[in-house]
Amino acid sequence: ESPVFVVTQKNPFNDKVDIKDLFSIGTVAKIKQITRRNGSLTITLESICRAYLINAFAVSGFYMCDIETKIIEAEGYDEVKKEALLRILRDKAKEAVSMFSSPSKDLVKELDVIDEVGLLADIIGATVITSVEDKYSLLSEFDEYKRAELAIALVNKEVSIVRLEGTIKKKTAKKLDENQKEYFLREQLKVI
């Protein structure tokens, strides 16, 4: 029944966690479901709000935290700007999702029905953005319009990286094919 404060480790491979190993901004959430399968634990959370980690101290194998919650609001609300940001976010997110090896049709449908700029930016951050540092920078932005603009920039970066990866893979495959042809011809010459 108690809320939990969820925060990301700076290094996920570090087994021993100290307060300095945690990012300072996270999410206050309510546990919706806990599932145990094959020795692993899956926890489904419902986000309540963002918060700053002020202090944490170990108690019986877990951390108790002092946090400060933050109300998320848009500065200078503007209906036209909201609609423009929603359209750009949806378009950029759909472009990024289409580049996935198996794009989620449910995600694309979900993007179309969300009409809150901050929520859409958050969902894009959770599903499209891959870098932990980029996700954290998005989580750290409390103004929803600024967060939407940051999400657009991060999705553009993600799309550029995926395109560049594709180009590099094609060049590498072409070079590999050329090397294999040369090797095959040399072997044929040896046999002749």
Side-chain angles (χ1 to χ4, degrees):
E1 296 299 318
S2 297
V4 293
F5 179 60
V6 183
V7 66
T8 304
Q9 282 180 239
K10 292 176 183 173
N11 180 357
F13 302 108
N14 192 354
D15 290 336
K16 188 171 180 173
V17 181
D18 191 68
I19 185 81
K20 67 182 181 319
D21 299 322
L22 302 174
F23 284 110
S24 60
I25 297 176
T27 303
V28 177
K30 183 170 46 173
I31 298 174
K32 297 296 282 183
Q33 181 180 5
I34 299 174
T35 308
R36 298 177 197 273
R37 251 186 257 155
N38 303 329
S40 69
L41 191 67
T42 303
I43 301 173
T44 305
L45 303 169
E46 179 182 324
S47 177
I48 299 170
C49 64
R50 286 179 165 86
Y52 292 100
L53 176 63
I54 296 170
N55 190 21
F57 43 93
V59 177
S60 303
F62 62 93
Y63 282 105
M64 295 289 290
C65 297
D66 293 325
I67 60 171
E68 181 179 326
T69 60
K70 176 87 170 159
I71 303 297
I72 301 172
E73 53 191 42
E75 292 180 18
Y77 181 80
D78 179 351
E79 189 65 35
V80 174
K81 184 173 184 176
K82 174 188 172 187
E83 187 59 36
L85 287 169
L86 283 171
R87 286 182 187 180
I88 295 168
L89 279 168
R90 286 183 185 122
D91 289 346
K92 289 296 176 185
K94 287 177 185 177
E95 179 183 3
V97 168
S98 71
M99 299 174 101
F100 294 167
S101 57
S102 55
S104 168
K105 291 178 183 158
D106 292 337
L107 176 58
V108 172
K109 286 179 187 175
E110 189 177 351
L111 295 173
D112 283 333
V113 296
I114 296 171
D115 63 351
E116 292 179 42
V117 173
L119 178 59
L120 186 56
D122 291 342
I123 289 173
I124 289 168
T127 56
V128 176
I129 308 300
T130 57
S131 161
V132 173
E133 289 79 13
D134 288 347
K135 286 176 184 271
Y136 182 71
S137 67
L138 204 57
L139 182 68
S140 300
E141 182 54 64
F142 287 89
D143 180 276
E144 68 177 8
Y145 287 170
K146 290 178 184 174
R147 190 163 67 252
E149 290 169 359
L150 179 59
I152 291 165
L154 293 174
V155 171
N156 281 335
K157 175 182 160 187
E158 200 71 38
V159 167
S160 295
I161 290 170
V162 170
R163 284 188 178 140
L164 187 57
E165 285 175 345
T167 302
I168 292 169
K169 284 179 186 176
K170 285 178 186 176
K171 285 181 180 179
T172 305
K174 184 178 177 183
K175 186 71 173 166
L176 186 60
D177 286 346
E178 288 172 6
N179 289 342
Q180 286 177 338
K181 284 179 187 177
E182 282 182 34
Y183 174 77
F184 182 70
L185 289 172
R186 273 191 245 117
E187 291 301 311
Q188 279 184 328
L189 284 173
K190 285 181 187 175
V191 170
I192 292 171

